[in-house]
Amino acid sequence: MIVHPSPPASSALRQRMIEDMTVRGFTAKTQHDYIRYVKTFAAFLGRSPDRATAEHLRRFQVHQTQTGLQPPGINSAVAALRFFFTVTLDRPDLARRLALVRQPRKLPLVLSLEEVTRLLEAAPGSKYKAALGTAYGAGLRVSEIVSLKVTDIDSTRMLIRIEQGKGREDRHAMLSPHLLELLRAWWREGHRQGLMLPQGWLFPGRNPVTPLSTRQMNRAVHAAAQAAGIQKRVTPHTLRHSFATHLLEQDIDIRVIQVLLGHAKLDTTALYARVATSTIRTVMSPLDRIWLGPQDEARPDG
């Protein structure tokens, strides 16, 4: 049977959904992803998604599982469809039929202080040394780093302004003296190369009017890890993980770390307690408070 999908792309339904998302301040990427997931559901259904039933939703999720779609993909589709049925169609009864899949939480990969030192020293040039130093020294996401402007660096208050970070919220990140030195070294070099425009990007791309891309950042950190002889699978986010874990090992309050990372929930930050090995090593086991005395291998009556 030939399936002719009727997604909201060709109807007022799609426009209504876009308007609903726009009113709620969804980013362009989120809107694109939500529309794509609803189109996928419509293609599976073979008809307009506003004609779906609870059984259709159940069969769609079974189909996703059988085709090997991983939990993150399934849950993203659930978020999109829940919005579509709850907001756009005003059918929360159908939205409740969609089941989220529990995702196993993996421990984040963390570098040692020595490995971070080697990685930064192996960075390909002063721009990438400063950019990777920002990931580790301030704990920023790669998307936040490439979006920085020169004017976001406040050397008087020793703060970095993050505009519209994750969750579309502004916040301040810490600016350490050593990171400021790296940034100034890059600014001098970038200014000499004619890359630093007034009010421009802190880390411009090949064309100074456009920022460095996240892909370029990823390639740079992979090259630095290889040059430094680090066998771990390192990404820019690994430096953010390392920032949080090393602060926790310095006994910095976890709520302070939560603010620095821009986490909405403390549970997200608490994950780093599971990889803060020096913190784990300093905890005294209750067994160590018990003196059992030397054990005589001989039997008492032997």
Side-chain angles (χ1 to χ4, degrees):
M1 182 180 71
I2 299 176
V3 175
H4 298 286
S6 301
S10 59
S11 67
L13 197 57
R14 170 193 170 98
Q15 184 58 36
R16 181 182 177 87
M17 184 177 178
I18 292 174
E19 291 171 353
D20 290 336
M21 292 187 289
T22 302
V23 166
R24 287 157 180 79
F26 285 20
T27 65
K29 182 181 184 306
T30 300
Q31 292 190 31
H32 176 270
D33 290 344
Y34 274 30
I35 291 293
R36 178 166 54 86
Y37 284 121
V38 176
K39 287 174 64 177
T40 300
F41 173 65
F44 168 82
L45 196 62
R47 66 187 73 178
S48 178
D50 61 344
R51 297 170 58 190
T53 66
E55 177 60 18
H56 290 141
L57 291 172
R58 188 191 72 80
R59 283 167 41 203
F60 177 63
Q61 290 209 278
V62 170
H63 168 74
Q64 288 180 308
T65 303
Q66 290 176 340
T67 54
L69 187 63
Q70 296 301 303
I74 294 175
N75 292 341
S76 295
V78 167
L81 291 172
R82 280 183 175 176
F83 180 89
F84 175 69
F85 286 109
T86 302
V87 179
T88 303
L89 294 185
D90 194 21
R91 291 291 309 276
D93 55 308
L94 286 180
R96 287 194 293 269
R97 300 295 185 131
L98 293 159
L100 289 169
V101 180
R102 182 183 177 89
Q103 300 183 55
R105 299 196 70 178
K106 297 182 179 180
L107 292 178
L109 177 66
V110 173
L111 300 179
S112 67
L113 286 172
E114 186 267 339
E115 287 173 326
V116 172
T117 302
R118 284 162 45 203
L119 184 76
L120 293 180
E121 288 177 344
S126 58
K127 176 168 70 175
Y128 287 109
K129 180 175 290 188
L132 298 183
T134 304
Y136 176 69
L140 301 191
R141 302 175 179 91
V142 64
S143 59
E144 295 169 341
I145 294 170
V146 299
S147 299
L148 288 175
K149 301 286 188 64
V150 173
T151 51
D152 292 328
I153 306 301
D154 187 345
S155 58
T156 302
R157 301 169 63 203
M158 296 302 286
L159 294 171
I160 302 174
R161 176 177 171 81
I162 311 298
E163 291 190 356
Q164 300 293 285
K166 189 172 183 180
R168 304 191 69 180
E169 293 187 354
D170 295 348
R171 76 177 195 281
H172 282 105
M174 63 185 293
L175 174 62
S176 75
H178 285 169
L179 176 55
L180 181 58
E181 288 180 14
L182 287 176
L183 293 175
R184 282 175 169 167
W186 156 240
W187 186 89
R188 288 191 295 268
E189 175 61 20
H191 188 71
R192 187 187 65 80
Q193 297 178 18
L195 297 174
M196 309 304 287
L197 302 179
Q199 313 294 316
W201 304 106
L202 180 60
F203 300 112
R206 294 184 179 91
N207 187 329
V209 300
T210 58
L212 189 70
S213 69
T214 56
R215 180 174 296 183
Q216 288 171 311
M217 276 280 290
N218 273 289
R219 285 201 296 259
V221 77
H222 293 157
Q226 185 175 17
I230 298 172
Q231 301 301 315
K232 299 174 181 176
R233 189 178 180 277
V234 182
T235 69
H237 215 71
T238 304
L239 293 169
R240 176 174 159 88
H241 291 324
S242 303
F243 164 85
T245 303
H246 294 167
L247 284 183
L248 196 60
E249 292 178 339
Q250 296 172 37
D251 294 327
I252 303 300
D253 190 287
I254 195 167
R255 290 176 179 80
V256 175
I257 300 174
Q258 177 190 3
V259 172
L260 292 174
L261 293 174
H263 283 163
K265 297 180 180 179
L266 185 60
D267 288 351
T268 307
T269 316
L271 180 65
Y272 295 110
R274 297 168 61 185
V275 289
T277 54
S278 69
T279 301
I280 295 171
R281 290 194 299 267
T282 60
V283 177
M284 177 183 288
S285 166
L287 180 64
D288 293 336
R289 303 180 66 180
I290 303 173
W291 186 75
L292 299 177
Q295 299 297 309
D296 189 349
E297 294 183 0
R299 290 170 57 88
D301 58 346

